Amino acid sequence: MMRPELTMSVYLCREPVDMRKSIDGLSLLVQEAMELNPFDEAVFVFCNRQRDKVKILAWERNGFVLWYKRLERERFKWPDTVGDDVMTLSGQQLNWLLDGYDIAQMQPHKPLFFDAAG
């Protein structure tokens, strides 16, 4: 399976997007609604209202790349639209989101401290 590099910046559009939009429409959305540069070394992630489709737009050296994922039964656990319309993620968080995790609820384990003496 092809996925963007983990080291790339990831920008998530929290508002639902019409999945009929292709490269030109999504890059315009990045520029105008998200106020970001679609030619940056980054990926821009969009979801539809039903939360069963995701498109990822990226500029790669000499052209745009568009990834599309459609779920057959489940829904993506998309972060709430409360707050900013754009959310920054890590590459790992993007992979978790694509794999069905709710990244808003993820919390790491509490740190454990041991004393070997005594």
Side-chain angles (χ1 to χ4, degrees), residues 65-105:
V65 176
L66 186 64
W67 287 275
Y68 179 73
K69 182 169 183 175
R70 182 186 74 193
L71 298 178
E72 297 302 320
R73 293 180 188 236
E74 299 293 327
R75 301 286 179 253
F76 289 103
K77 311 285 193 273
W78 212 251
D80 291 334
T81 57
V82 177
D84 292 336
D85 289 342
V86 179
M87 180 177 189
T88 304
L89 301 179
S90 69
Q92 183 61 60
Q93 287 174 312
L94 174 58
N95 281 326
W96 287 334
L97 182 70
L98 293 173
D99 288 338
Y101 289 92
D102 184 347
I103 60 171
Q105 300 298 320

Side-chain angles (χ1 to χ4, degrees), residues 4-118:
E5 295 287 328
L6 292 180
T7 57
M8 292 187 83
S9 298
V10 178
Y11 298 100
L12 186 85
C13 180
R14 290 188 181 187
E15 291 294 324
V17 172
D18 182 349
M19 285 292 120
R20 292 175 292 183
K21 289 188 185 298
S22 194
I23 290 171
D24 293 337
L26 293 174
S27 62
L28 188 63
L29 191 63
V30 168
Q31 194 170 7
E32 293 184 357
M34 298 173 77
E35 298 179 352
L36 296 167
N37 183 356
F39 300 101
D40 281 348
E41 190 172 324
V43 294
F44 305 95
V45 186
F46 307 92
C47 191
N48 66 335
R49 188 171 305 284
Q50 294 80 19
R51 307 266 191 255
D52 63 344
K53 297 174 183 80
V54 165
K55 282 190 176 180
I56 301 174
L57 179 72
W59 175 259
E60 190 177 75
R61 225 173 334 117
N62 58 358
F64 282 104
V65 176
L66 186 64
W67 287 275
Y68 179 73
K69 182 169 183 175
R70 182 186 74 193
L71 298 178
E72 297 302 320
R73 293 180 188 236
E74 299 293 327
R75 301 286 179 253
F76 289 103
K77 311 285 193 273
W78 212 251
D80 291 334
T81 57
V82 177
D84 292 336
D85 289 342
V86 179
M87 180 177 189
T88 304
L89 301 179
S90 69
Q92 183 61 60
Q93 287 174 312
L94 174 58
N95 281 326
W96 287 334
L97 182 70
L98 293 173
D99 288 338
Y101 289 92
D102 184 347
I103 60 171
Q105 300 298 320
M106 287 189 128
Q107 295 180 2
H109 295 134
K110 293 180 182 177
L112 301 175
F113 300 98
F114 296 100
D115 184 8

